[in-house]
């Protein structure tokens, strides 16, 4: 960091630490802006040392260092208590949770605020997509923010920090400050940056297949054709005959135009397996900005373009981002500010998720290892027909279960288009030197259109708004989402001798609207390749149209007192009135109080640069969705006259607001002129009167009812710290660390209710909020255990399974998470690397659940204790003896070591010997080399005679190495989308290693 004044004893090394003791010299405005001031709720700047709650700042340069389509991913491992789950879906959503979970089945995502105004960060993913039944992850909309426009991010973690935002920020807030124009002596400042990223599959997150056996379920069994052996085409597994190179009739012999049509081919492992399906992904990002100004006005305008292709063929994103802000001083007292951001994004070929129409679940769960992907590509290129490996029979070459992968991505692709405009304008008026009036209007909104296609010739499956299989189809959805905020805030600042007083009084009107229109064909398409609703073979499905509006009117006040720069006390109160709640319960108040003592002012020691104790308490209220008061009618297909039915969810006209109590204690200290420092916080949240959907007796005509019930309790510690092991004139080494262990438990539910199910998922598992257990607990059938804890084997040699599916198999919550960052600078050369860690938590793999029985993976082959292939028949010395115990044949009440051999000669799905779902729940821990960056700034002496002010070249790698993980063949972070259903995988995309070349120039 550039030295500002020689008399200042401060050097901020970690954004988690407050300003150090700089009493020997009064801070200049410049020093305060850079080192001692952070942006808090409502965009108000505050001295960090005065805050009685936890906040942590990340500089824009740290967010913008690694190019990405979603800047949220660059927050991983950089903020204590912030859980970022990136996922691997192209253009997909990022899960952002601060300090655990506050709502059982509602929104747990942090609030995003840009220049004081909240923005939308929702996704439009369907319920089926979120519960792994198929669909697309359309991403969360905070990804529209251009990281090149970010000056800094301040993460407000506790309720006391976010109380002024009301119910919107009960999950914490991420405060984004954008870059502004600045006064220049002459000309216009120009900034240009460019990067090009290459992405390749991380093979540790993709299946490794066994190489000994081919297509089939029945072991050493071929079909027959013309007296010769024939592969069993309809079988989508690799539990067939052993490869021996003999000539066999395979699927390609029956597809006209195939290079091997009418020919037998060698029975052998394919030369080009599914890994050859993937392309090299690319991401080109170019940004340019203009800024300037004088004593009266400043401005900054920027344009950014991102063009990315995925490792999945036929996938691309093109995003254009136009942003600008300006300020104009009408008088010395009156200033106007304007910010606008317009984003267009066009996406094609998002990867499908879950179990449904997903090529990845094909590769991971139901594959034949004798199938060559290059042959599949060649067959598709013949005529763009669905010539697949999984044909029905020699006389019927239609697909049995799976499309040709290339047909899938080039014919059954989706597209989406999103246009977004965020704008806010404000007027600042200094009524007196101590009193400021602010009026501000901010609006954020987007329109989005999605199109999904199923070409003629595809495998029939549920599609669009239809629950029954469709041979082809087209689905079109449009959305119009907006949020408008009107603010008026009066602030008062006064210094009286040793006292500092800050106060504000304000109001806010928040208006949220959501409109949607979903349509799809029914019965297939009449004309192939014509994707319109009117091309429906039958009457189109009844459209699903929604339109809601919610208004929240808030009034709030805050008062802060400081004494001698040492003692601080702050209190807030807010009143909200929401149209989402019934009139008799639609008003709720909540207060907060916080305080801090800068004890380093009381303990004068050279070794102590800074020390502060802080404490905070807050209560926050929150409402619910816009349509949870009055019951709905749903349109049905008419039978001679229009027909309607009630929704199965009973709304509640007596619902009350949800509440949350938050307590926080913390200490932060710096030593030896800030060479070493730490910030430690303990917090506890209690979220009660939860607004949840609970089951009711079906005799009522409903299945669930919106109810106030339940309490979530979260406790945890956060630690952030820094150390500078080496600091010389030319060389500096910084180490920053973040660690946290938030844990959320369900401590109360309604009388008679023992669990709230968040999602029921394929594979016999569910995600739950069970009473007195961890939130996000995975339930399923477990092993049967003997009294001494050993697994019990049945008479067929397989593990016994419990009859119940409500066994606790662990929670998706990690035990702790942390990040370790090293930054080294030598003159103009900089090197940094970040290690990101999560320890604990569970994830269920449907890929391994099905892959066990389809014989894809290496653990399905090998030799047993007799030295024979385990896939031999029992009579031929095959099978395995599982570790565990069995019932003693001579004493049924006792157990003895297992001696029964398990038959592995055919698929376990055929033999009925699958283990319980518990066998496929894995530890989700990981250690990742998340980011490595090296950059070189050309010396000014080389640029003196050019038009460049500075030029920096860089090389950045992200997700380069998963140092440790326990989940086989997949990234533990990969999931379905953002939301409350985590800890479950079905056909996730593999992770990618990304290498970026960067250039930044100022003119």
């Amino acid at each position: 960091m550039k030295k500002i004044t020689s008399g200042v004893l401060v050097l901020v090394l970690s954004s988690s630490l407050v300003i150090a003791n700089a009493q020997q010299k009064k801070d200049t405005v410049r020093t305060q802006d850079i080192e001692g001031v952070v942006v808090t709720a409502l965009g108000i700047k505050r001295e960090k040392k005065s805050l009685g709650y936890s906040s942590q700042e990340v500089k824009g340069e740290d967010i913008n260092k690694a190019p990405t389509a979603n800047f949220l991913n660059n927050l991983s491992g950089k903020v204590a208590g912030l859980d970022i789950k990136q996922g691997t879906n192209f253009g997909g959503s990022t899960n952002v949770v601060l300090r655990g979970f506050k709502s059982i089945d509602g929104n747990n995502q942090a609030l995003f605020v840009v220049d004081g105004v909240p923005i939308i960060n929702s996704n439009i993913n369907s319920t089926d997509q979120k519960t792994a039944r198929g669909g697309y992850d359309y991403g969360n909309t905070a990804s529209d923010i251009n990281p090149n426009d970010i000056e800094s991010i301040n993460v407000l973690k506790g309720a006391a920090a976010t109380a002024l935002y009301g119910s919107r920020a009960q999950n914490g807030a991420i405060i984004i400050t954008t870059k502004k124009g600045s006064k220049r002596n002459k000309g216009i400042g120009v900034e240009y940056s460019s990067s090009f990223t290459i992405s390749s599959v991380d093979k540790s997150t993709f299946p490794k297949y066994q190489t000994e056996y081919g297509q089939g379920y029945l072991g050493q069994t071929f079909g027959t054709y013309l007296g010769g052996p024939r592969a069993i085409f309809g079988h989508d597994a690799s539990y067939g005959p052993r490869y021996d190179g003999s000539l066999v009739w395979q699927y390609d012999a029956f597809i006209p135009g195939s290079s091997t049509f009418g020919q037998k081919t060698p029975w052998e492992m394919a030369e080009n397996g599914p890994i050859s399906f993937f392309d090299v992904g690319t991401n080109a990002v170019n940004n340019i900005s203009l800024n300037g100004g004088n004593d009266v006005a400043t401005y900054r305008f920027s344009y950014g373009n991102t063009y990315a292709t995925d490792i999945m063929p036929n996938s691309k994103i093109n995003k254009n981002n136009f942003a600008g802000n300006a300020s104009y001083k009408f008088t010395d007292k009156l200033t106007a500010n304007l910010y606008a951001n317009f984003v267009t994004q066009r996406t094609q070929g998002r990867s499908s998720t879950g179990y449904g129409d997903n090529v990845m679940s094909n590769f991971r769960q139901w594959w034949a290892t004798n199938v060559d992907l290059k042959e599949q590509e060649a067959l598709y290129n013949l005529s763009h027909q669905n010539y697949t490996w999984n044909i029905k029979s020699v006389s019927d070459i239609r697909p049995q279960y799976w499309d040709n992968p290339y047909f899938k991505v080039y014919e059954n692709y989706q597209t989406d288009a999103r246009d977004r405009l965020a704008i806010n304008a404000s007027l600042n008026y200094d009524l007196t030197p101590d009193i400021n009036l602010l009026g501000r209007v901010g609006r954020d909104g987007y329109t989005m259109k999605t199109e999904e296609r199923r070409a003629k010739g595809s495998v029939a499956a549920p599609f669009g708004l239809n629950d029954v299989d469709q041979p082809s189809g087209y689905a079109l959805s449009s959305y119009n989402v907006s949020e408008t905020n009107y603010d008026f805030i009066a602030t008062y600042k006064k210094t009286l001798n040793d006292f500092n007083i800050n106060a504000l009084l304000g109001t806010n009107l928040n208006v949220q609207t959501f409109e949607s229109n979903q349509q799809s064909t029914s019965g297939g398409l009449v004309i192939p390749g014509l994707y319109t609703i009117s091309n429906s073979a039958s009457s189109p499905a009844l459209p699903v149209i929604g339109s809601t509006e919610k208004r929240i009117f808030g009034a709030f006040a805050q008062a802060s007192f400081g004494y001698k720069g040492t003692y601080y006390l702050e209190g807030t109160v807010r009143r909200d009135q929401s149209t989402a709640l019934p009139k008799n319960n639609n008003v709720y108040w909540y207060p907060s109080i916080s305080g801090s003592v800068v004890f380093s002012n009381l303990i004068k020691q050279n070794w102590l640069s800074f020390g502060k104790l802080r404490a905070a308490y807050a209560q926050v209220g929150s409402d619910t969705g816009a349509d949870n008061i009055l019951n709905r009618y749903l349109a049905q297909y008419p039978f001679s006259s229009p027909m309607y039915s009630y929704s199965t969810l009973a709304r509640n006209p007596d619902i009350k607001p949800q509440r949350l109590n938050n307590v926080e204690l913390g200490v932060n200290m710096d030593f030896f002129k800030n060479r070493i420092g730490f910030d430690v916080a303990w917090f506890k949240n209690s979220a009660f009167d939860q607004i949840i959907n609970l089951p009711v007796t079906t005799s009522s005509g409903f299945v669930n009812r919106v109810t106030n019930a339940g309490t979530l309790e979260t406790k945890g510690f956060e630690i952030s710290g820094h150390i500078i092991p080496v600091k010389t004139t030319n060389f500096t080494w910084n180490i920053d660390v973040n660690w946290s262990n938030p844990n959320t438990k369900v401590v109360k539910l309604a009388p008679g209710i023992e669990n709230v199910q968040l999602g029921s998922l394929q594979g016999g598992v569910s995600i739950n909020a069970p009473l007195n257990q961890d939130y996000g607990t995975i339930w399923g059938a477990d092993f049967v255990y003997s009294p001494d804890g050993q697994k019990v084997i049945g008479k067929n040699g397989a593990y016994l399974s419990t009859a119940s599916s409500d066994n606790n198999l662990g929670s998706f919550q990690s035990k702790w998470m942390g990040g370790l960052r090293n930054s080294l600078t030598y003159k103009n050369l900089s090197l940094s690397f970040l290690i990101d860690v999560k320890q604990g938590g569970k994830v269920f793999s449907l890929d391994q659940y099905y892959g066990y029985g389809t014989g894809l993976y290496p653990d399905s082959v090998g030799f047993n204790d007799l030295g024979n292939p385990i896939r031999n028949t029992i009579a031929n010395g095959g099978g395995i003896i599982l570790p565990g115990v069995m019932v003693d044949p001579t004493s049924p009440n006792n157990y003895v070591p297992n001696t029964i051999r398990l038959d592995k000669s055919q698929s376990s799905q055929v033999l009925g010997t699958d283990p319980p779902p518990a066998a496929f729940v894995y530890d989700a821990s990981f250690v990742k080399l998340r980011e490595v960056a090296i950059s070189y700034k050309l010396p000014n002496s080389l640029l003196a005679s050019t038009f460049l002010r500075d030029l920096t070249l860089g090389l950045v790698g992200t997700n380069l190495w998963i140092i440790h993980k326990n989940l086989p063949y997949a990234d533990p972070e990969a999931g379905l989308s953002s939301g409350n259903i985590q800890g479950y995988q079905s056909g996730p995309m593999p992770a990618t290693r990304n290498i970026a070349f960067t250039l930044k120039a100022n003119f």
Side-chain angles (χ1 to χ4, degrees), residues 659-972:
R659 301 281 185 167
L660 180 141
N661 290 330
N662 169 243
V663 178
E664 177 184 333
L665 302 173
V667 58
N668 40 316
M669 300 179 69
D670 281 281
F671 307 94
F672 309 115
K673 297 184 180 180
N674 285 16
R675 293 292 291 272
I676 302 174
F678 65 82
D679 185 326
V680 178
W682 173 85
F683 62 90
K684 177 182 176 181
N685 296 323
S686 180
F688 58 99
D689 283 343
Q690 292 275 320
I691 300 175
I692 53 179
N693 302 332
L694 292 181
V696 294
T697 175
T698 54
S699 62
S700 65
F702 299 98
V703 176
N704 294 286
R705 176 179 170 83
V706 180
T707 308
N708 285 109
T711 300
L712 288 181
E713 185 176 274
T714 304
K715 297 178 183 178
F717 284 92
E718 292 170 353
I719 302 173
S720 57
H722 76 276
I723 183 172
I724 308 178
V726 180
K727 188 178 191 306
T728 68
T729 302
N730 293 323
F731 179 73
T732 302
W733 176 17
N734 292 338
I735 300 174
D736 297 291
V737 62
N738 294 291
W739 182 92
S740 58
N741 67 339
N743 176 255
T744 302
K745 290 185 178 294
V746 182
V747 297
K748 184 179 180 181
L749 289 174
I753 301 295
E754 296 293 321
N755 177 59
V756 175
Q757 188 179 91
L758 306 179
S760 177
L761 306 166
Q762 194 159 355
V765 298
S766 58
I767 310 297
N768 303 273
L771 183 62
N772 297 321
Q773 297 181 43
D774 286 344
Y775 180 81
T777 294
I778 303 170
W779 277 7
D782 199 353
F783 296 96
V784 174
Y785 293 94
S786 64
D788 61 352
Q790 297 189 70
K791 296 173 184 176
V792 179
I793 286 89
K795 295 180 180 180
N796 60 358
Y799 286 118
L800 295 181
S801 175
T802 59
S804 62
S805 296
D806 58 356
N807 299 278
N808 184 340
L809 305 181
S811 168
F812 61 62
Q813 293 184 68
S814 57
K815 299 299 181 184
W816 59 266
M817 54 191 173
L820 176 66
R821 182 177 182 180
N822 283 263
S823 304
L824 302 96
T825 303
Y826 177 72
K827 294 185 177 180
N828 290 351
L829 182 66
S830 297
L831 170 67
S832 66
F833 62 91
L834 172 68
I835 295 177
D836 194 7
V837 182
K838 282 188 181 177
Q839 179 62 44
K842 299 294 184 179
V843 57
F844 174 83
S845 173
L846 190 68
D847 304 329
Q848 295 301 309
Y849 176 86
Y850 283 130
Y852 178 89
T854 55
L856 294 183
Y857 295 101
D859 60 1
S860 70
V861 300
F863 295 92
N864 60 17
D865 56 311
L866 302 176
N868 300 318
I870 64 174
R871 289 202 189 182
N872 283 2
T873 62
I874 297 292
N876 199 25
I880 60 173
I881 297 176
L882 295 174
V885 296
M886 64 181 188
V887 175
D888 186 344
T890 62
S891 179
N893 295 324
N894 295 324
Y895 294 94
V896 296
N898 177 44
T899 59
I900 303 174
R901 195 167 293 276
L902 173 66
D903 188 358
K904 299 284 286 184
S905 62
Q906 295 183 341
S907 166
S908 59
Q909 297 169 4
V910 174
L911 299 173
T913 56
D914 279 334
F920 308 102
V921 175
Y922 298 88
D923 178 10
S925 302
F926 65 77
V927 180
K928 293 186 177 183
L929 181 59
R930 181 71 76 181
E931 178 183 299
V932 177
I934 185 170
S935 64
Y936 181 72
K937 183 177 180 181
L938 270 64
N940 292 333
S941 59
L942 294 179
L943 304 176
S945 60
T946 71
F947 56 89
L948 290 170
R949 292 174 57 198
D950 58 67
L951 177 65
T952 303
L953 303 175
L955 183 65
V956 182
T958 56
N959 295 326
L960 294 177
W961 180 22
I962 302 180
I963 301 170
H964 169 76
K965 68 182 180 76
N966 299 300
L967 175 66
Y969 314 119
D971 186 341

